[in-house]
Amino acid sequence: MKTTFSKLYKPIDVLTWKRKEHFEKWRNFDEPFHGIVVKLDLTNCQLFCDEAHCKVFERYMYHFVHALNHVEPMKYRLVNDEPVVFDEVLSGLVVMRPDATFAYGQLIKMNDFAQFREQLNLEKKRVIDRGTIHDIERLQNITHFSVLPWTDFIGLSHARNYGDNDSIPKITFGKITKNNGRYSMPLSIHVHHALVDGKDVADFINVFQKLLDENRVSEKF
């Protein structure tokens, strides 16, 4: 079963937009993306999953999609070269296939964790059975997502087609490590500077970290 999603968006009036001069400055750069790598604290999320017998990947992805939709600039995209804001954005999903190659899927925001887990596992099965690396290419309200669970990286870059007028944020998670009883994971985020500034990136990271911190081991689902 393939996930469904909202395709609704509103155009942004550039003439009255507070970011007008920033948009005009960076929209035609050869490389308009900027990015950083930070460490997320996954301790509460890991402890929750230890008690609830769920996978930490499922739990942090649940929070990740909520954080994406909480910070408006993460929903900005270029459609026909003009800025728009989507009502809702999806997360991409990278799935390892049995032959050690990968393919892409998609996840929508859900307010019930059990339903989100079901969606995630159904989408993983769909991608393994018949997914391709081209499944999300035509989607504008996607967020490009990847994970490198083998590497506690401190920097990251992306392969990009500079002629593609790409405006989609690129998020990568790394290896979860434990140090002095605390769990952490690197997060790489790259965004289009005509649409998203450094403060917007910080807002997203802070919202995401707050959601991870608010996990309660007593929560039932």
Side-chain angles (χ1 to χ4, degrees):
M1 183 182 73
K2 197 167 184 177
T3 52
T4 59
F5 56 93
S6 169
K7 295 182 180 179
L8 298 178
Y9 61 80
K10 296 179 293 187
I12 295 172
D13 184 352
V14 176
L15 294 179
T16 61
W17 195 17
K18 67 178 183 179
R19 300 197 71 262
K20 178 181 183 297
E21 61 179 326
H22 304 77
F23 175 73
E24 296 294 349
K25 177 177 175 63
W26 278 288
R27 67 181 301 179
N28 294 316
F29 268 40
D30 292 335
E31 170 53 299
F33 277 73
H34 63 105
I36 61 172
V37 174
V38 298
K39 283 289 183 103
L40 296 171
D41 189 324
L42 250 65
T43 304
N44 286 5
C45 187
Q46 181 67 61
L47 294 176
F48 172 90
C49 292
D50 289 345
E51 182 179 278
H53 305 293
C54 60
K55 296 178 180 178
V56 69
F57 174 75
E58 298 170 337
R59 189 67 177 177
Y60 75 63
M61 286 300 294
Y62 172 71
H63 293 311
F64 171 63
V65 184
H66 278 260
L68 286 175
N69 283 279
H70 186 81
V71 179
E72 183 174 292
M74 297 301 291
K75 299 190 287 184
Y76 293 162
R77 300 290 187 273
L78 293 176
V79 175
N80 298 322
D81 295 328
E82 298 299 329
V84 305
V85 55
F86 276 92
D87 292 349
E88 185 171 305
V89 292
L90 301 80
S91 169
L93 176 69
V94 63
V95 179
M96 188 71 72
R97 296 183 290 202
D99 64 358
T101 64
F102 64 88
Y104 295 125
Q106 56 191 267
L107 298 170
I108 63 173
K109 177 174 69 71
M110 291 183 171
N111 292 325
D112 182 88
F113 180 48
Q115 291 179 357
F116 182 83
R117 291 179 73 195
E118 181 181 12
Q119 173 200 196
L120 192 155
N121 289 316
L122 286 172
E123 183 68 350
K124 285 173 63 176
K125 183 179 186 305
R126 182 195 71 79
V127 172
I128 289 173
D129 290 344
R130 56 187 184 279
T132 77
I133 61 171
H134 306 292
D135 274 4
I136 63 175
E137 285 183 354
R138 296 182 181 276
L139 300 178
Q140 286 292 334
N141 65 330
I142 196 77
T143 303
H144 290 160
F145 167 83
S146 58
V147 60
L148 299 172
W150 318 277
T151 307
D152 185 24
F153 57 76
I154 58 174
L156 189 138
S157 63
H158 292 273
R160 292 190 54 235
N161 181 358
Y162 289 116
D164 198 27
N165 200 23
D166 179 17
S167 65
I168 299 174
K170 286 107 181 53
I171 310 282
T172 304
F173 295 127
K175 181 180 180 179
I176 298 173
T177 57
K178 184 179 182 182
N179 186 32
N180 294 325
R182 306 293 299 183
Y183 293 87
S184 66
M185 178 180 69
L187 160 69
S188 165
I189 174 169
H190 289 76
V191 292
H192 197 299
H193 209 341
L195 303 175
V196 187
D197 290 331
K199 183 181 183 302
D200 304 320
V201 172
D203 289 344
F204 164 75
I205 293 169
N206 289 336
V207 167
F208 188 23
Q209 183 63 69
K210 182 178 179 181
L211 291 172
L212 294 170
D213 289 342
E214 287 178 349
N215 278 283
R216 297 288 182 264
V217 294
S218 61
E219 179 181 341
K220 302 300 180 184
F221 60 91

